[in-house]
């Protein structure tokens, strides 16, 4: 069952008519008497219908794949399997966070939120971010933070730091 999107007011769209835009559908499977379902998203890419997004009943999300094998699987046949963290802001200044990736978990025995074990953070360096030009690159610093011990909240200082000048600091 699903919802199809098409142009015009004719009957059910097909790729051959050129009016097919996309589709959101559910796929129900019966595995040993247990019903499960996946969500499938399809779009018209000009000459064919592709499935750019899949959400499996396991919670795995696939971008560019119909069979994700992890919580998030990004797949592409070219060199485009890139995760892009982008801050859209007109007031980025020196020291502002551009993007971060956090790593954490919880063993299920303790109540509350996940524990943060590590994170990678990119910050703006200097005020070149404020220039309005066709140059799409501005200086940054990268910091890699790890938790040093249980309950000591030592995520504040970076274990590894790479400055805009490409100097590397360890334990600074």
């Amino acid at each position: 069952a699903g919802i199809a999107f098409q142009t015009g007011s004719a009957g059910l769209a097909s790729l051959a008519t050129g009016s097919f835009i996309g589709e959101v559908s559910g796929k129900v499977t019966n595995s040993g008497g247990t019903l499960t379902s996946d969500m499938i998203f399809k779009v018209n890419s000009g000459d064919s219908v592709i499935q750019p997004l899949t959400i499996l009943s396991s919670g795995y999300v696939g971008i560019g794949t119909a069979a994700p094998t992890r919580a998030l699987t990004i797949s592409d046949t070219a060199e485009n399997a890139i995760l892009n963290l982008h801050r859209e802001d007109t007031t980025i200044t020196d020291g502002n966070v551009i993007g971060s990736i956090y790593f954490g978990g919880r063993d299920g025995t303790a109540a509350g939120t996940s524990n943060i074990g590590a994170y990678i953070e990119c910050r703006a360096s200097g005020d070149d971010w404020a220039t309005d030009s066709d140059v799409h690159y501005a200086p940054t610093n990268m910091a890699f933070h790890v938790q040093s011990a249980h309950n000591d909240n030592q995520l504040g200082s970076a274990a590894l730091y790479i400055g805009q000048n490409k100097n590397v600091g360890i334990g600074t």
Side-chain angles (χ1 to χ4, degrees):
I3 302 169
F5 302 92
Q6 68 185 44
T7 61
S9 59
L12 186 59
S14 71
L15 184 59
T17 65
S19 60
F20 178 84
I21 297 173
E23 175 184 312
V24 179
S25 61
K27 175 183 167 190
V28 177
T29 57
N30 186 340
S31 177
T34 303
L35 292 177
T36 61
S37 63
D38 304 332
M39 289 293 296
I40 299 166
F41 299 80
K42 295 180 181 179
V43 295
N44 185 341
S45 70
D47 294 332
S48 61
V49 174
I50 61 170
Q51 186 174 327
L53 180 66
T54 303
I55 304 173
L56 299 181
S57 60
S58 63
Y60 288 179
V61 175
I63 299 173
T65 178
T69 57
R70 300 283 186 262
L72 175 61
T73 302
I74 301 173
S75 180
D76 196 340
T77 57
E79 295 179 6
N80 295 321
I82 298 170
L83 177 61
N84 183 359
L85 302 179
H86 180 87
R87 178 175 173 170
E88 190 68 37
D89 189 344
T90 59
T91 60
I92 298 173
T93 59
D94 185 46
N96 285 159
V97 174
I98 304 302
S100 302
I101 300 173
Y102 282 76
F103 304 88
R106 188 167 65 95
D107 68 5
T109 60
T113 59
S114 295
N115 297 315
I116 302 298
Y119 70 96
I120 302 169
E121 182 175 77
C122 176
R123 288 184 177 265
S125 179
D127 291 322
D128 290 341
W129 290 84
T131 61
D132 186 19
S133 70
D134 289 337
V135 178
H136 299 290
Y137 303 97
T140 58
N141 299 314
M142 292 285 295
F144 298 77
H145 301 260
V146 294
Q147 182 69 28
S148 60
H150 182 68
N151 288 333
D152 70 356
N153 194 23
Q154 292 299 312
L155 284 167
S157 56
L160 176 69
Y161 177 85
I162 304 171
Q164 75 176 58
N165 57 4
K166 300 185 176 115
N167 288 343
V168 176
I170 300 175
T172 61

